[in-house]
Amino acid sequence: MIVTVTMNPSIDISYPLETLKIDTVNRTNQVSKTAGGKGLNVTRVIHDLGGDVLATGVLGGFHGAFIAEELKKVGIKQDFTPIKEESRDSIAILHEGNQTEILEAGPTVSAEEQTAFFEKFKELLQKATIVTISGSLAKGFPQNFYQKLVHAAAEQEVKVLADTSGESLRQILKGEQKPYLIKPNLEELEDLLGQKFSLEKLEEIQAALAQPLFEGIEWIVVSLGKAGAIAKHQDAFYRVTIPSIQVVNPVGSGDSTIAGFAYGLSQRMNTEELLKICMAAGMANAQEKKTGHVDPINVQQHFENIEVKKIEQ
Ligand code: ADP
């Protein structure tokens, strides 16, 4: 089973408006409200692909109940730790081709609630072969909380796919036990290393991934949006190129990449197939209106058209 971790889920609300009028009333009858947060996007896409997935994390209040209900409606297994404070809303206003977002920081999770979650997580590990960790931690958690999850998973020989950024990613990399995969996009990699990269000089990205900071991580997939990815598996490097496609909404494509990889691993795919399925899932998500959703037939079609080349060193 694949267990997905979402530590700060949200209700994602989107308001499409012709124009956004400031300092007056804007009315819409087209609101969409979905269970959101990067980890829940991962969950949905694994489910769309037909994978065996269970969502965990923390949920609070009426918002938490809504999120749980949304997952239940589509038949996704879940086992969240309840918290006292209310889970958050994330609002996106789509207007004049722009996306203006209002993101709540979300609830503060108490020390007791953190312990309760950690105990549940350790129990879930007994049934898991793969864990995905995505997105930010809610307030109250220590910065090294994800590192703690990585250690607990390593003890049970469960593979962790970690998709986080900033201090949480730095902390994970510092840990004694490493995640099985990290998937920074170019911006996240630049932020992590304090270095600028360009798509014209992929060899510089390759050199950066070979440094000791990343030692012990089986897989690093640097996703490059429409330019595909550059990946490191053990000591080998791969360039993955994808055909150009008609894009509808690329939000959540990185999450879908993680979902594709987790699904591929659960199906024991080989190196080349894993790279293809994770890119294909990202592409298929970019072609859907709904964030964190893929049509498996579309994924299969993209899979056939992706090129994986080993970079000779
Ligand atoms: P993130 O969402 O984390 O920033 P990316 O933008 O790199 O991640 O997207 C992840 C993957 O999704 C890409 O490697 C690619 O396979 C697919 N993808 C994303 N944007 C596009 C696009 N505009 N055209 C085609 N594929 C895309």
Side-chain angles (χ1 to χ4, degrees), residues 183 185 223-226 228 242 245 247 253-254 257 279 282-283:
K183 190 221 71 67
N185 60 25
S223 66
L224 306 170
K226 64 178 189 295
I242 61 178
I245 52 166
V247 167
S253 281
T257 301
M279 288 292 99
M283 292 167 74

Side-chain angles (χ1 to χ4, degrees), residues 32-267:
S32 115
K33 298 186 182 182
T34 56
K38 288 165 67 67
L40 294 184
N41 294 337
V42 175
T43 312
R44 259 197 311 272
V45 172
I46 296 172
H47 185 70
D48 289 341
L49 291 171
D52 179 19
V53 64
L54 178 143
T56 189
V58 294
L59 283 182
F62 288 112
H63 286 72
F66 175 88
I67 294 167
E69 187 55 34
E70 286 290 290
L71 296 177
K72 198 169 148 204
K73 264 197 236 162
V74 289
I76 293 176
K77 288 187 277 185
Q78 55 182 299
D79 193 352
F80 283 86
T81 298
I83 55 170
K84 267 202 224 88
E85 291 192 15
E86 192 76 23
S87 293
R88 64 190 174 140
D89 278 326
S90 297
I91 298 172
I93 305 165
L94 312 171
H95 58 102
E96 297 122 337
N98 301 308
Q99 181 159 335
T100 301
E101 298 192 16
I102 301 170
L103 303 182
E104 295 178 19
T108 300
V109 179
S110 71
E112 295 74 38
E113 291 164 342
Q114 290 177 28
T115 306
F117 169 76
F118 189 58
E119 291 307 313
K120 181 187 295 297
F121 180 72
K122 284 193 290 189
E123 255 170 54
L124 290 172
L125 282 176
Q126 289 168 15
K127 295 184 270 176
T129 50
I130 299 157
V131 165
T132 70
I133 295 177
S134 307
S136 57
L137 283 163
K139 282 186 292 178
F141 282 103
Q143 297 273 25
N144 68 351
F145 190 75
Y146 283 152
Q147 194 196 97
K148 208 169 140 179
L149 301 188
V150 171
H151 278 238
E155 273 172 18
Q156 312 253 7
E157 292 178 20
V158 174
K159 295 179 170 122
V160 176
L161 316 184
D163 185 16
T164 180
S165 52
E167 195 47 37
S168 289
L169 176 58
R170 277 190 193 94
Q171 289 280 344
I172 283 186
L173 296 178
K174 270 195 216 158
E176 217 169 277
Q177 305 288 345
K178 307 290 176 184
Y180 186 75
L181 170 138
I182 57 170
K183 190 221 71 67
N185 60 25
L186 206 54
E187 214 182 314
E188 288 161 347
L189 187 71
E190 289 178 339
D191 174 58
L192 177 72
L193 300 175
Q195 198 179 338
K196 281 272 167 212
F197 295 108
S198 106
L199 292 183
E200 281 70 51
K201 291 190 181 156
L202 290 179
E203 64 281 2
E204 290 182 4
I205 301 178
Q206 195 182 324
L209 300 186
Q211 60 184 279
L213 177 68
F214 298 113
E215 225 164 75
I217 303 172
E218 180 94 5
W219 274 97
I220 307 173
V221 177
V222 181
S223 66
L224 306 170
K226 64 178 189 295
I230 179 162
K232 178 173 182 278
H233 179 215
Q234 296 171 344
D235 291 328
F237 288 89
Y238 299 87
R239 174 75 180 105
V240 194
T241 41
I242 61 178
S244 110
I245 52 166
Q246 201 79 33
V247 167
V248 178
N249 169 24
V251 179
S253 281
D255 305 331
S256 307
T257 301
I258 289 285
F261 198 97
Y263 173 74
L265 260 187
S266 73
Q267 302 297 306

